[in-house]
Amino acid sequence: MKYIERVLAELNKKYADQPEFLQAAREVLDSIAPAVEKNEAVYERNAILERIVEPDRQIQFKIPWVDDNGNAHVNIGYRVQFNNSIGPYKGGIRLHPSVNPSIMKFLGFEQVFKNSLTGLPIGGAKGGSDFDPKGKSDREVMAFCQSFMTELYKYIGADVDVPAGDIGTGAREIGYFYGQFKRIRGVYEGVFTGKGLSYGGSLARKEATGYGLLYMTDELMKDHGDTLEGKTVVISGAGNVAIYAAEKATQLGAKVVTLSDSTGWVYDKNGIDLALVKDIKEVRRARISEYVKVHTDAVYTEGKGVWSVPCDIALPCATQNELLEDDAKMLVANGCKAVCEGANMPTSLEATKILMEGGVMFVPGKAANAGGVATSALEMSQNSERLSWSFEEVDEKLHGIMKNIYKNISTTAKKYGVEGNYVVGANIAGFEKVVDAMLAHGIC
Ligand code: GLU
């Protein structure tokens, strides 16, 4: 049995109860085959694949907190420190009822390759909790965050592990996490990214994932002799990634016609009114259905459905496995030209295959959404030198990083004889840098 197949078979047996992790591992291991085959003997002797699929450590802890009625609750907290071969552990904190060890591990694993692709010195990690901030008061969120950090502080630090935002963790949560860390540890260090601007945050971090996604899409289009000008764009999600993806798409001349949340989706043929969406989501923390109360000619539909809208470009920016086989078939049938992932693993393996075979250009999340964590690394640099860069400076660096990632994944795909296959390009390019460091460090 070939090395990759053996490791995958062992993983399937060992972690049969972790479907998301197995999906992420299969996607990576299958597509790095040409790179592994070239060095199979060395990799196998050094157990490179066995070591890269196993997190360095997984921390799980209890988070007791008290609600506004005086009732106590217990949630589970996680931090998966996956790989720190090329830099301190780095990755967000997801707060969502679906969070479990499989989701934490898949996200941590993806982060290793994504962070490597940024070209910056950051290792991969992920954390989170099954706590749902939706519908909770500010005080309840604060109580939860303080309790979470009362455990997590032991394991993080500016040169050890630097958490950040993700689904359910925004500026408010990061503020409470940081405040509690500072209180317990008594040090003022760049231990979190996505911080508020008054306490060490970076300009353009909030916009970075969405903007970066569009810089990547723009590069992709240009490389294929096209532009974003006049294109119809369908976006899922209405969080930080989706909102700033829509903003940059609009600035680049495209028309964004959909957004969604976990309850339903809106279609506005005139182009989404982003000022209204920001008010609904960032200020009022309300549902996207509010949109049609103002724009009565837009349509709100409960449930899923954005991929049924004919488009030139589709940007899944909500969550994992939100673009499935039937969705991919609709996108192909409707003549969609490109799918670039703003979320982590939003497209299933089967759907990815359908898109690529159907001639749709496809850029996986670990490359397309890397602008967020790349800008987090820029926030770490600013914290280290105790300076703040201007919005333009950070944005320009972000733009350069996304262009480099595109160049890296497309030349890697070409080098391995699969031009235009950005899944292979991203996985091999991300993998090779980490493996190089792992080999240099010896067995550890
Ligand atoms: N949660 C984001 C991601 O999936 C950002 C992580 C970070 O900035 O550390 O990449």
Side-chain angles (χ1 to χ4, degrees), residues 90-93 111 114-115 126 162-166 193 205 209 344 369 372-374 376:
K90 182 85 198 83
I93 299 283
Q111 203 80 43
K114 183 194 316 199
N115 294 4
K126 201 79 183 193
V162 183
D166 196 77
T193 59
R205 174 61 189 90
T209 316
N344 291 313
N369 72 38
V373 75
S376 278

Side-chain angles (χ1 to χ4, degrees), residues 262-281:
S262 55
T263 327
W265 58 285
V266 286
Y267 170 63
D268 189 340
K269 62 176 186 326
N270 302 316
I272 292 285
D273 172 355
L274 270 179
L276 175 61
V277 174
K278 284 184 189 175
D279 179 55
I280 295 170
K281 287 291 169 186

